[in-house]
Amino acid sequence: MANVISDETMEYVGILAKLELSDEEKEAAKKDMESMLDYIDKLNELDTSRVEPMSHVFPVKNVFREDVVVNGDGGEETLANAPERRDRAFVVPKTVEG
């Protein structure tokens, strides 16, 4: 294990994450973080010189479209079975005293 995380660093990470960890939990988290860092070091050994940089694994195309209403809002159909309505809204009993 090449990466060693100090107790002070674990304390600081706990503060940042707003976690209250027992000593056993701190030790377990410390070992997990050290393992993660070791794995990242292992990945850094890969030769990526012939790999083009990318922002996504899958091809991304522009998904923006014109914002045009094609089927209406269905307001009349929604209000068709309302027991009581006023203008284009449901009328419901008052639930909060004011």
Side-chain angles (χ1 to χ4, degrees), residues 65-74:
R65 60 173 169 74
E66 231 12 79
D67 191 15
V68 178
V69 176
V70 292
N71 60 353
D73 64 0

Side-chain angles (χ1 to χ4, degrees), residues 5-19 21 29 33:
I5 297 176
S6 68
D7 292 333
E8 293 80 22
T9 300
M10 281 308 302
E11 195 69 37
Y12 184 64
V13 169
I15 291 168
L16 289 176
K18 298 187 187 305
L19 295 174
L21 301 174
M33 290 176 72

Side-chain angles (χ1 to χ4, degrees), residues 1-14 19 21-39:
M1 222 186 258
N3 292 291
V4 178
I5 297 176
S6 68
D7 292 333
E8 293 80 22
T9 300
M10 281 308 302
E11 195 69 37
Y12 184 64
V13 169
L19 295 174
L21 301 174
S22 67
D23 290 339
E24 295 82 23
E25 290 171 324
K26 284 179 188 174
E27 282 302 314
K30 191 166 145 179
K31 286 187 187 338
D32 288 344
M33 290 176 72
E34 289 170 350
S35 296
M36 286 185 256
L37 292 173
D38 287 340
Y39 185 71

Side-chain angles (χ1 to χ4, degrees), residues 54-61:
M54 63 176 110
S55 62
H56 294 80
V57 177
F58 301 107
V60 177
K61 62 179 180 144

Side-chain angles (χ1 to χ4, degrees), residues 3 34-49 51:
N3 292 291
E34 289 170 350
S35 296
M36 286 185 256
L37 292 173
D38 287 340
Y39 185 71
I40 291 169
D41 285 345
K42 186 73 173 164
L43 289 176
N44 285 334
E45 294 174 12
L46 294 173
D47 177 20
T48 58
S49 60
V51 178

